[in-house]
Structures are given as structure tokens and as C-alpha cells.
Amino acid sequence: PGSQLSFVMSRLYVGNLPNETREDDLRRTFSEKAQIRDVTLKNGFAFIVRWKLGMEGIARVLPHGDP
């Protein structure tokens, strides 16, 4: 039980995007902070579904004493 990590899924709205924005651009930008599950890009806006470690999972990964 102590080795299981918890992940949080979130859906992010990104608006006012230039028309030349590509799905790959968004994946590259947002994958720095979380694992991207899906990107829906339409007419200058996007919905990005992402997974990231929850606070409980972060506490298990960090060595003791780190913030």
C-alpha cells in the first residue's frame, strides 16, 4: 500500500490562441508540468486534459526534509 502514487486529472481551458497554434505546440508547452492525456484545439481555444501527481504522491516521491 505504501508504494502507490496518486494522480490528479484536470481539464484546462486555454483561450485567445493564435490561429497558427498547433496541437503539438500545446502538448510541448504543457507537458513540462504534467502528463498530457488529450488536447482539443478549435477556433482559437483549446481544452487540455492532463494528469499530475497529487500532493500525497509528491510527498512519497520527495526525500524527507524537502518542501
Side-chain angles (χ1 to χ4, degrees), residues 20-60:
E20 57 272 0
T21 302
R22 299 177 318 203
E23 182 178 327
D24 288 343
D25 298 329
L26 295 170
R27 284 184 182 276
R28 188 173 28 258
T29 299
F30 287 94
S31 67
E32 294 175 14
K33 301 290 182 187
Q35 181 181 1
I36 304 304
R37 182 167 182 228
D38 186 46
V39 175
T40 303
L41 178 62
K42 292 184 180 183
N43 302 325
F45 70 90
F47 287 101
I48 301 170
V49 179
R50 61 193 190 141
W51 291 98
K52 63 189 241 182
L53 273 176
M55 292 307 292
E56 184 178 308
I58 291 171
R60 289 182 182 158

